[in-house]
Amino acid sequence: MTYEVPVAPGESADIETSTEISGGVWPMWEVFVRARRGVSHVHIGSLHAPDSETALQNARDVYTRRGEGVSVWVVPSREVRAFEPDDAVDYVEANEKVYRMATTYEIPEEVGQM
Amino acid sequence: MSPEERFQSIVDAEDKIEPTDWMPDAYRKTLIRQIAQHAHSEVIGMQPEGNWISRAPTLHRKAILMAKVQDEAGHGLYLYSAAETLGVTRNELQELLHQGKHKYSSIFNYPTLNWADIGTVGWLVDGAAITNQVMLTRCSYGPYARGMVRICKEESFHQRQGYELLIKLCQGSDEQKALAQDALDRWWWPSLMMFGPHDTESTHTEQSMAWKIKRVSNDDLRQQFVDMTVPQADYLGLRIPDPGLRWNEARGHYDFGEIDWDEFWAVVRGDGPMNRERLAHKVDAWQEGAWVREAALAYAEKRAGRSAA
């Protein structure tokens, strides 16, 4: 596999994933890009930057080098609130309320498109 | 349904696993390892090409090369972001690379000795990378697969500019064509090595396939790459340095010779031509940039303090 380094005989496949860091760490930002006029901003990825101004500049350089967007938002990642995975089950259950779906109502053909 | 069964049923249904989903510990670890190595490779991969920016023969080629090296930095950033969704931090992964505890692709431990190497790296190294990364766009982990889609679009530019550079060179003087042949002679085997050990020797393949992290085996990807590349070499009028290379009518594929596996493992273990230099350069660049990172953070804190006051 191209960029996966094979495990040499006698070496361990496990790698360390944490270590001491010296110096300050730039906070993380979520990046949203509007691809063209008329469509919503869509989450495209994240990046690190010291402040919102630099985050915007970095977002332009990292995510829109080839005209991918006409507008960019950056939002501090720590401000994003999300459902826990278990809460997502409620969404699935909501799909059981079929009476909310237009297609569950039978309309005679004679009345035409509705 | 147990969490394990639910996880595997999502994977089997060709759905994606997302960061907040439950996932087996070993799946998380395998992905962190693979994505971190991939990210490190992109970042270290800037060095062999950056080496030629100041010596590119025309302004046009210099601009292309700078755009390509900038893309590699971007690819590294997309990938570190994908790794961070798994609960590790970019700073730690980088630090572990600097400490020599993480590896990156061996291909970047070979030197770029002449200008034709820049074309050849685009053609073969990025070509091999595309073969692999197209497969990874279908990987079961959402953030990794999405990053790959972006990367593949950009890799296409990388490969095409490289091949076009070689077309121009091969249409030039005998001396220019000899440069191209020399580059192919040196890069052919390391490019085939990029696909890793034979399937029979590859320790992780089976589990990675079941998890749909990996979709095609090393040997199959390598065959795909050889079949695609031979006609491209023919068009350039260059000779692939493998006496065992021939079309096999019965298989419908090219047969090719055996990789020098001693060299392969030596480079993996750290004894390639450029291993020490690449890492030393990376650590130097990081340390030299420390004052910029600190100043930017101090400035941001000062301004945040002012607006709060």
Side-chain angles (χ1 to χ4, degrees):
Chain A
M1 170 166 300
T2 304
Y3 287 130
E4 191 192 350
V5 184
V7 182
E11 286 185 356
S12 165
D14 288 335
I15 58 166
E16 289 179 39
T17 56
S18 63
T19 187
E20 288 275 309
I21 296 296
S22 59
V25 173
W26 288 359
M28 201 194 264
W29 304 76
E30 299 302 320
V31 182
F32 299 79
V33 171
R34 185 199 294 284
R36 57 180 190 282
R37 289 176 181 280
V39 299
S40 304
H41 286 77
V42 173
H43 183 245
I44 195 165
S46 58
L47 51 77
H48 291 270
D51 55 31
S52 58
E53 220 170 295
T54 320
L56 264 181
Q57 282 175 14
N58 289 356
R60 185 196 61 194
D61 289 345
V62 177
Y63 291 107
T64 64
R65 287 197 300 284
R66 290 181 173 80
E68 289 92 337
V70 294
S71 166
V72 177
W73 289 345
V74 290
V75 178
S77 304
R78 64 170 184 277
E79 301 293 341
V80 175
R81 290 289 167 272
F83 280 117
E84 292 300 313
D86 289 348
D87 297 333
V89 173
D90 296 338
Y91 273 129
V92 178
E93 280 167 3
N95 290 341
E96 287 164 8
K97 297 177 179 173
V98 291
Y99 50 83
R100 287 175 166 165
M101 305 295 178
T103 49
T104 56
Y105 300 92
E106 275 185 39
I107 304 295
E109 269 179 39
E110 293 90 314
V111 302
Q113 201 69 31
M114 186 178 281
Chain B
M1 206 190 282
S2 72
E4 286 89 346
E5 286 165 344
R6 194 176 134 66
F7 166 85
Q8 194 61 47
S9 74
I10 294 172
V11 170
D12 291 343
E14 296 287 332
D15 254 346
K16 299 296 178 200
I17 301 297
E18 295 296 343
T20 51
D21 290 336
W22 183 91
M23 61 186 85
D25 230 24
Y27 176 84
R28 186 184 299 273
K29 278 188 187 151
T30 301
L31 276 172
I32 291 173
R33 176 176 189 274
Q34 188 173 326
I35 299 174
Q37 289 179 343
H38 196 159
H40 300 328
S41 301
E42 299 284 357
V43 170
I44 297 286
M46 289 192 280
Q47 291 186 40
E49 294 181 290
N51 178 35
W52 279 90
I53 289 176
S54 63
R55 290 173 288 161
T58 66
L59 194 55
H60 178 57
R61 291 290 171 195
K62 193 196 289 267
I64 293 171
L65 194 51
M66 282 182 0
K68 184 177 189 298
V69 171
Q70 191 189 13
D71 279 352
E72 308 298 1
H75 296 178
L77 291 171
Y78 305 154
L79 287 159
Y80 283 125
S81 296
E84 288 189 299
T85 64
L86 292 160
V88 292
T89 71
R90 185 179 79 183
N91 287 63
E92 285 177 300
L93 296 180
Q94 281 211 116
E95 183 56 36
L96 287 159
L97 172 67
H98 296 166
Q99 292 169 6
K101 291 177 177 164
H102 279 197
K103 290 181 180 177
Y104 53 86
S105 175
S106 285
I107 193 72
F108 302 116
N109 289 320
Y110 289 86
T112 41
L113 300 179
N114 77 47
W115 171 248
D117 286 35
I118 296 306
T120 309
V121 165
W123 172 36
L124 297 181
V125 175
D126 290 291
I130 292 170
T131 309
N132 179 57
Q133 292 176 153
V134 164
M135 168 192 79
L136 287 173
T137 61
R138 297 187 293 124
C139 154
S140 61
Y141 189 57
Y144 194 25
R146 290 192 286 276
M148 283 302 123
V149 172
R150 298 184 56 77
I151 288 179
C152 282
K153 279 186 198 157
E154 296 174 353
E155 293 285 6
S156 173
F157 146 60
H158 295 178
Q159 192 187 18
R160 291 173 68 128
Q161 65 80 33
Y163 192 66
E164 192 231 33
L165 188 162
L166 289 173
I167 291 176
K168 291 275 157 61
L169 214 53
C170 289
Q171 288 167 346
S173 65
D174 288 349
E175 212 184 343
Q176 285 173 311
K177 194 160 180 184
L179 285 181
Q181 184 63 55
D182 172 55
L184 175 57
D185 288 346
R186 284 180 289 105
W187 286 97
W188 176 254
W189 290 106
S191 299
L192 293 195
M193 291 179 196
M194 287 176 71
F195 295 95
H198 282 309
D199 297 342
T200 46
E201 310 283 319
S202 186
T203 37
H204 291 102
T205 299
E206 212 174 308
Q207 183 56 263
S208 284
M209 294 274 232
W211 281 333
K212 299 193 198 284
I213 291 176
K214 182 175 193 159
R215 314 295 306 249
V216 185
S217 79
N218 292 355
D219 284 327
D220 287 352
L221 284 172
R222 187 161 25 230
Q223 182 72 62
Q224 204 178 311
F225 175 74
V226 171
D227 290 348
M228 204 172 61
T229 310
V230 174
Q232 295 166 353
D234 289 344
Y235 181 85
L236 294 172
L238 298 178
R239 186 188 46 80
I240 289 175
D242 178 0
L245 185 79
R246 67 181 58 85
W247 178 251
N248 182 326
E249 192 66 49
R251 289 202 310 129
H253 292 291
Y254 282 95
D255 290 338
F256 54 96
E258 196 59 46
I259 285 170
D260 178 351
W261 296 106
D262 290 337
E263 176 184 328
F264 175 88
W265 289 115
V267 185
V268 168
R269 289 181 190 281
D271 294 326
M274 300 295 282
N275 295 56
R276 287 164 195 78
E277 195 176 324
R278 295 286 187 241
L279 189 58
H281 183 82
K282 173 72 179 73
V283 172
D284 281 352
W286 178 253
Q287 285 170 352
E288 280 167 21
W291 71 272
V292 178
R293 294 190 298 275
E294 283 159 21
L297 205 54
Y299 180 68
E301 279 163 8
K302 189 176 86 177
R303 291 221 308 180
R306 254 189 219 152
S307 63

